[in-house]
């Protein structure tokens, strides 16, 4: 087990960045010229949801519902929320938003194929 103040951040970025990069590649491949517009539509709500969750986490920490152990994060806080936790909420929201955009693209593709339509 990794017991360092970088543990949370390394683990978080290690599992999220490859998936986000894959999602971005698939999004550009599918939407092509519309990729920028899709990202402008998808990313702002993801950031808003991520920040909302960070605020909820702040409230949970300040009321004593949960806490974070010392030594396994960088020690940088936004309010009482560790920076890594804020990043977690942001990247999770981005993962979900990009996934939804890709799912919508898949449904769009299937609707165009004649063999995908019910008789």
């Amino acid at each position: 087990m990794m017991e360092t103040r970088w543990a949370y951040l390394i683990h978080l970025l290690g599992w999220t960045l490859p998936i986000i990069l894959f999602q971005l590649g698939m999004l550009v491949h599918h939407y092509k010229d519309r990729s920028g517009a899709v990202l402008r539509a998808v990313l702002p709500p993801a950031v808003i949801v991520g920040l909302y969750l960070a605020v909820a986490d702040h409230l949970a920490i300040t009321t004593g519902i949960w806490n974070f152990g010392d030594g396994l994060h960088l020690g940088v806080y936004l309010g009482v929320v560790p920076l890594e936790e804020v990043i977690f909420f942001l990247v999770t929201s981005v993962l979900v938003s990009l996934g939804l955009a890709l799912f919508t693209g898949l449904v769009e593709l299937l609707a165009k194929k004649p063999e995908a339509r019910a008789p």
Side-chain angles (χ1 to χ4, degrees), residues 4-40:
T4 170
R5 63 189 206 126
W6 292 90
Y8 191 164
L9 187 62
I10 290 169
H11 177 75
L12 175 64
L13 296 178
W15 74 265
T16 58
L17 288 182
I19 296 170
I20 289 174
L21 291 174
F22 174 76
Q23 287 180 316
L24 287 172
M26 294 301 294
L27 188 129
V28 168
H29 175 73
H30 173 71
Y31 288 104
K32 298 180 182 22
D33 295 338
R34 299 182 306 162
S35 296
V38 171
L39 287 173
R40 283 189 299 278

Side-chain angles (χ1 to χ4, degrees), residues 26-108:
M26 294 301 294
L27 188 129
V28 168
H29 175 73
H30 173 71
Y31 288 104
K32 298 180 182 22
D33 295 338
R34 299 182 306 162
S35 296
V38 171
L39 287 173
R40 283 189 299 278
V42 165
L43 293 180
V47 170
I48 291 167
V49 169
L51 293 176
Y52 169 80
L53 293 170
V55 168
D57 206 35
H58 175 86
L59 294 173
I61 293 168
T62 57
T63 57
I65 293 173
W66 61 71
N67 60 41
F68 293 89
D70 293 329
L72 295 181
H73 54 85
L74 295 175
V76 177
Y77 297 88
L78 298 174
V80 297
V81 182
L83 176 63
E84 297 90 336
E85 186 76 352
V86 174
I87 294 169
F88 168 78
F89 290 127
L90 291 172
V91 297
T92 300
S93 297
V94 167
L95 283 165
V96 170
S97 296
L98 290 175
L100 183 58
L102 291 170
F103 179 75
T104 302
L106 177 62
V107 169
E108 183 181 288

